Amino acid sequence: MMTSPVKLIRPRRHGDDRGWFTEYYSEPTFAALGITCTFVQDNHSYSAPAFTLRGLHFQTPPRGQDKLVRCIRGRIYDVAVDVRKDSPTYGQWVGAELSAENGHQLFIPIGFAHGFVTLEPDCEVTYKCSDTYAPEQDGGIAWDSVGIDWPMPAGTIPGLSPKDTRQSTLADFDSPFPYDGRLLTPLS
């Protein structure tokens, strides 16, 4: 049985009265989870207000990006949306809370749109990418066109970039991503 392509990773923390230590990336450990991409770029974002929403983003082939996302300050709700053409789970999404406190990470492979909303002020997010930024391949879909249950108070309008206010809807998106036979399943 194949496992879901999107993975919630919970690195182990080793703590004592001084604090803790964690290994947040190890090539052999990730290979054992089926994550075999090579990461070539690290990104870091800071969002000052709560309910800043970044996404839903991806890079199209031939410059698609696998991403390994973690929150190093504050809390976010991180999501991945299946946008692989002909996938039985096309348009479905999974999400998880990532925080500096829980140390969890989300692996989002090529063929999935990625986005997150900050759940408190002053959040910092870092993520590894398997390809460098390619502006000509930059793409996205509207954050509110998928039916994601974003954890925001009723009536909240998230803080968006100008780019994210102009993204096309999922219904209007013609996916260039092939389906690889792996179904999106709930995170475990």
Side-chain angles (χ1 to χ4, degrees), residues 65-145:
Q65 292 177 317
D66 300 293
K67 296 177 181 176
L68 179 63
V69 182
R70 67 189 188 121
C71 181
I72 61 169
R73 181 178 179 196
R75 294 181 311 125
I76 66 169
Y77 188 70
D78 201 39
V79 300
V81 180
D82 188 347
V83 293
R84 299 168 297 162
K85 191 178 207 87
D86 300 321
S87 169
T89 54
Y90 183 85
Q92 294 180 23
W93 61 276
V94 292
E97 184 174 303
L98 308 182
S99 69
E101 184 177 329
N102 71 23
H104 296 172
Q105 301 175 88
L106 197 62
F107 175 74
I108 300 130
I110 294 169
F112 288 81
H114 169 249
F116 64 86
V117 65
T118 61
L119 302 176
E120 57 189 54
D122 299 318
C123 288
E124 292 186 59
V125 175
T126 64
Y127 55 101
K128 299 176 121 10
C129 298
S130 65
D131 200 347
T132 56
Y133 178 62
E136 67 283 358
Q137 306 302 138
D138 190 27
I141 54 176
W143 69 276
D144 58 352
S145 70

Side-chain angles (χ1 to χ4, degrees), residues 38-59:
T38 300
F39 292 113
V40 298
Q41 178 175 309
D42 283 2
N43 297 331
H44 187 156
S45 74
Y46 168 73
S47 301
F51 309 116
T52 296
L53 197 147
R54 297 178 185 268
L56 299 161
H57 303 147
F58 49 79
Q59 275 190 190

